[in-house]
Amino acid sequence: MKASLSNYRQSPRKVRLVTEAVKGKYVSAADVVLSYMPKRAAEAIQKLIKSAAANAVNLGASIENLMIKNIEVNKGFVLKRSMPRAMGVAKPINKRTSHVDVVLAEVAKNPKK
């Protein structure tokens, strides 16, 4: 019950802010949190979690019992560009990418007392 997103065109540091907010939550709760989050990566992470949930349903799991067991963001390749500066100098610009992996687990919900 996995899904992965490769070469997402945003830096891993910014994507980790979004993934840390949903780590350990149920898929339904994570969907609500991500739909109201004002970050650009929230939409891509929401789509990735829905994809992992669909993979789990195809394997016979119940979508109500799915929890985000692990979600990790690793660095991808870096596009190296340069910006012309004063006196004929060029300064580097690194355009970073991210690899995101999601692992879901089926956990029975405990009713609250």
Side-chain angles (χ1 to χ4, degrees):
M1 297 181 287
K2 299 178 182 178
S4 62
L5 173 63
S6 296
N7 301 322
Y8 178 59
R9 243 322 256 117
Q10 195 170 17
S11 69
R13 183 177 178 177
K14 293 177 182 177
V15 178
R16 279 189 198 106
L17 290 172
V18 175
T19 58
E20 291 299 320
V22 296
K23 190 180 285 189
K25 294 188 186 295
Y26 284 96
V27 171
S28 57
D31 189 37
V32 171
V33 169
L34 290 172
S35 63
Y36 289 107
M37 191 174 279
K39 299 280 188 185
R40 182 169 73 100
E43 185 178 345
I45 299 300
Q46 185 178 21
K47 188 174 178 182
L48 179 65
I49 291 171
K50 285 182 180 179
S51 174
N55 293 340
V57 169
N58 286 338
L59 292 175
S62 175
I63 198 162
E64 298 87 30
N65 298 332
L66 290 176
M67 179 180 265
I68 299 172
K69 182 177 178 183
N70 189 21
I71 181 166
E72 71 177 41
V73 181
N74 298 315
K75 72 176 208 166
F77 67 88
V78 179
L79 295 169
K80 299 195 175 185
R81 303 290 182 255
S82 59
M83 173 71 80
R85 303 305 291 173
M87 300 170 65
V89 178
K91 295 292 181 177
I93 295 176
N94 292 328
K95 298 184 177 223
R96 301 179 190 279
T97 61
S98 303
H99 298 316
V100 185
D101 295 319
V102 176
V103 178
L104 300 180
E106 191 169 17
V107 179
K109 283 189 177 182
N110 293 331
K112 293 186 179 180
K113 294 180 181 179

